[in-house]
Amino acid sequence: MAWTDERIEQLRKLWEQGMTASQIAEELGGVSRNAVIGKAHRLNLQSRPSPVKAAEQAAEAAAPAPEPTPAPPAPPPPVVAAPVERPAPVAPPVAAPIERPAPVERAAEPSSVPTGAPAPITPPTTTPQPMIRSIGPGGFQRQTPGEQQSPIPPAPPRRLVPAKPSADMADKTSLLELNDRICKWPLGHPGEADFHFCGNPVNPGFPYCLDHCSVAYQAQLPRRDRRPPPPLPFGGPRVR
DNA sequence: CCCTGATTCGC
DNA sequence: GCGAATCAGG
C-alpha cells in the first residue's frame, strides 16, 4: 500500500488529532503501526507522549540542569500546616482571617503582631497555583523552550482536613451520600474544603446527570465505527 | 502480558 | 522512502 497524498494527509490529521499509531494504522488500512510511526517521523510529525522519550527528557531536566532560569522553590522546609487556604464564603468559625499574603518581602518583616494574637503562621512559600497551560492533541502538556524546569509539578503542600460539617457544606453532596441515583460528578478537588459531588438526579443508566454525561462521554467511540464525527472537508475516504 | 512511540537498518 | 525488528517505558 503506497503513501498517496491522500493517505499522508489523513495520517497527518489523525496523528495530530492524538490517535495512536495503531489506531491510525487500522483506520488507514493496509499498513502496520510501525509503518505509520515510520512515516510520521519521516514527515517530521513529532512530539507525542512517548514513554521512552518522556523518561529521557525528565532525567535530562532533572540531573544537570544548567538552567539560567531561577528555580528557587526550595522544597518547602518544615511542613507548616497551613490553615485551609480557601477563603470560605462564610466567616470561619475561629481563627483570624488570613488573607493571601501580599507580595511583600517577608524577610524584612519584624513581625509586628498585634498583642494577643497567636504566633504568625507563615503561609507556605509555594502558593498552590494551578498553572494554566495548553494541552496538545496527544494529551501532552506543551511547554515553552525555556520552561523545561520542574517537569513534575510538585504537589503543593496541602493538609488534608477531615470534612467538617459547616454551614456552606450543608447542601453539598458528600462522598457518603452517593448512591446510584444521584450524579457522582466531582466538583472541586478531594481534600479541599468544599469538595463535593454534583448530586443531581442521574441520567438513567449512567453515573452522572445529563449535563455531566455530556461532559464525560464525549470521548472516542469503539474504534470500528468511528467514521462519521470528523467532518472531512475533502470528500472523505474512499468507500471500500 | 498488553500497550505506547522511537530507533535501527536492510531493502 | 519504506517498514519489520527491536528497544524501552507505562
Side-chain angles (χ1 to χ4, degrees), chain A residues 173-185 197-203 206-209:
Chain A
T173 303
S174 84
L175 177 66
L176 300 178
E177 302 170 64
L178 292 181
N179 60 48
D180 44 12
R181 266 158 286 123
I182 66 177
C183 179
K184 301 175 180 59
W185 189 266
F197 297 90
C198 169
N200 289 141
V202 294
N203 181 17
F206 293 89
Y208 308 124
C209 68

Side-chain angles (χ1 to χ4, degrees), chain A residues 70-103:
Chain A
V79 180
V80 176
V84 177
E85 278 188 56
R86 179 161 296 276
V90 192
V94 282
I98 299 181
E99 278 301 332
R100 187 175 295 276

Side-chain angles (χ1 to χ4, degrees), chain A residues 10 28-29 49 96 103 117 126 136 149 156 160-161 164 169 193 215 224 238:
Chain A
Q10 200 175 356
L28 289 172
T126 57
Q149 209 63 5
L160 300 183
V161 298
K164 64 173 177 225
M169 286 302 287
V215 180
R224 203 47 274 166
R238 279 190 288 267

